Amino acid sequence: MRCPRKTGASPGSAPKTWGARGRAMTVPSAVAQSAEAIWAARQAGLTLDAEATIGSPELATAYAIQLALLALRLAAGERVVGWKLGYTAEVMRRQMGIDRPNIGPLTDWMLLKSEDLVSDRFVQPRVEPEIGLRLHTALDARRAPVDRHTVAAAVEGAYACLEVVHSTWTGYRFNLAQNTADNASAGQVVVGPRLPVTDLMALDTVSVRLSDGAQTLDHGVGADADGHPLDALVRLARELARIDRRLEPGDLVITGGLTAAHPLAPGDRLLARFSAGDTGSINVSVRRRSDGSWQWFPCFYPSPDTTRP
């Protein structure tokens, strides 16, 4: 069972996606069908065979599917609140057999607080610690060149985060394009406390340990995200500029996993401890319901976001 669509769009009809200037465009039927298959599976708590569902599209087509999937989420009342970067760390590329980073949007539905339960729709969730960057001003690589220092000036703060990754593709069997079409496996994001750093240039030295409460599962440092979390933000700004988009004030950007992704089994709680030199440590955690049973909530549709170009 899923929440009803906010709009009158009927299943099987080509969804609308939004161009950079706010004009609605009808997407090609094959792209629309692929997006609807992914959306239906995610809503129903099912997984699919990637090759049988969408084949192996070109990367440009995969991003078109991702945008069509986003259009379905927006039609259901979600709104874009930021972006994720995937595979900025070598450890993640090795784990998943992916050769380069990709990106995907984050919506308000995805955001969790520390100690929250992940969605019961997720049947194969995994967790990876990440450094999140929240912007206080827009960042537009179309207007001016960006580098580590210019993006730092747009950042309000850095946060301890956990990405709950969830692939629609059974067993996480996918290639780069299939993963990109599935919103880069973005499931939910746990936004924890602000990192105790006074200089954003030192984010590459922040360390993190992921544990299950009994033992350390993995560890990493900020430099694992594209060499520096701010460099990951530079990459994102440039990628968005290529599709005539920008980052908005208030956007949250998660800069890539600092460890391999670890399964979150029913009843489990995973915790990440972030440390920043002598300034102290902070924790962020996430849980999964023990029995995997669904919990129903009334549908809530936030006001549409009308501030984006």
Side-chain angles (χ1 to χ4, degrees):
M1 181 176 180
R2 74 177 82 171
C3 294
R5 296 169 187 251
K6 188 179 181 183
T7 67
S10 59
S13 63
K16 300 290 199 266
T17 189
W18 293 96
R21 305 302 180 192
R23 294 187 294 270
M25 302 177 294
T26 302
V27 300
S29 60
V31 168
Q33 290 166 8
S34 295
E36 287 173 348
I38 294 169
W39 174 244
R42 282 185 169 239
Q43 291 293 92
L46 302 174
T47 64
L48 304 170
D49 180 272
E51 194 67 30
T53 304
I54 66 170
S56 293
E58 296 293 326
L59 191 57
T61 302
Y63 275 113
I65 295 170
Q66 184 189 102
L67 272 178
L69 177 61
L70 176 61
L72 293 171
R73 301 186 78 136
L74 296 179
E78 299 179 35
R79 59 186 178 89
V80 176
V81 295
W83 295 84
K84 71 158 283 182
L85 289 117
Y87 308 108
T88 58
E90 176 62 27
V91 65
M92 283 300 303
R93 293 193 293 271
R94 284 199 309 269
Q95 181 186 21
M96 304 310 301
I98 299 296
D99 64 354
R100 64 191 122 150
N102 60 4
I103 66 173
L106 303 176
T107 72
D108 57 332
W109 179 86
M110 297 180 181
L111 300 185
L112 301 175
K113 301 184 298 295
S114 187
E115 279 293 296
D116 277 354
L117 292 162
V118 301
S119 171
D120 292 322
R121 296 173 186 166
F122 296 168
V123 295
Q124 52 181 10
R126 298 179 181 180
V127 173
E128 56 195 57
E130 307 202 12
I131 291 175
L133 301 175
R134 193 179 297 281
L135 304 186
H136 64 80
T137 61
L139 190 56
D140 193 346
R142 300 170 300 181
R143 302 289 180 255
V146 292
D147 59 24
R148 187 182 296 184
H149 294 277
T150 57
V151 301
V155 173
E156 172 270 327
Y159 294 82
C161 293
L162 294 172
E163 183 182 6
V164 182
V165 295
H166 182 265
S167 179
T168 302
W169 313 129
T170 304
Y172 284 79
R173 293 188 292 272
F174 51 67
N175 57 34
L176 176 64
Q178 292 161 345
N179 172 261
T180 299
D182 187 33
N183 204 34
S185 293
Q188 291 181 298
V189 180
V190 184
V191 183
R194 187 170 179 145
L195 290 171
V197 293
T198 56
D199 182 4
L200 293 176
M201 294 300 164
L203 284 174
D204 58 333
T205 66
V206 172
S207 64
V208 63
R209 288 190 174 273
L210 184 68
S211 74
D212 61 5
Q215 61 181 343
T216 297
L217 302 175
D218 215 334
H219 59 89
V221 294
D224 291 324
D226 233 358
H228 196 293
L230 291 173
D231 292 344
L233 182 56
V234 170
R235 178 190 294 275
L236 175 61
R238 290 172 178 169
E239 289 294 325
L240 291 177
R242 290 190 182 100
I243 57 173
D244 203 20
R245 289 173 179 258
R246 71 176 191 179
L247 287 155
E248 298 294 334
D251 273 355
L252 174 71
V253 176
I254 52 172
T255 53
L258 303 180
T259 71
H262 290 264
L264 182 65
D268 275 4
R269 172 181 180 266
L270 295 186
L271 177 144
R273 176 180 289 268
F274 288 79
S275 301
D278 297 330
T279 58
S281 300
I282 55 174
N283 297 334
V284 59
S285 59
V286 68
R287 300 178 296 132
R288 186 178 179 190
R289 201 180 309 279
S290 59
D291 59 3
S293 61
W294 287 66
Q295 185 173 358
W296 303 107
F297 295 96
C299 298
F300 171 68
Y301 296 122
S303 300
D305 185 357
T306 59
T307 63
R308 298 183 176 271

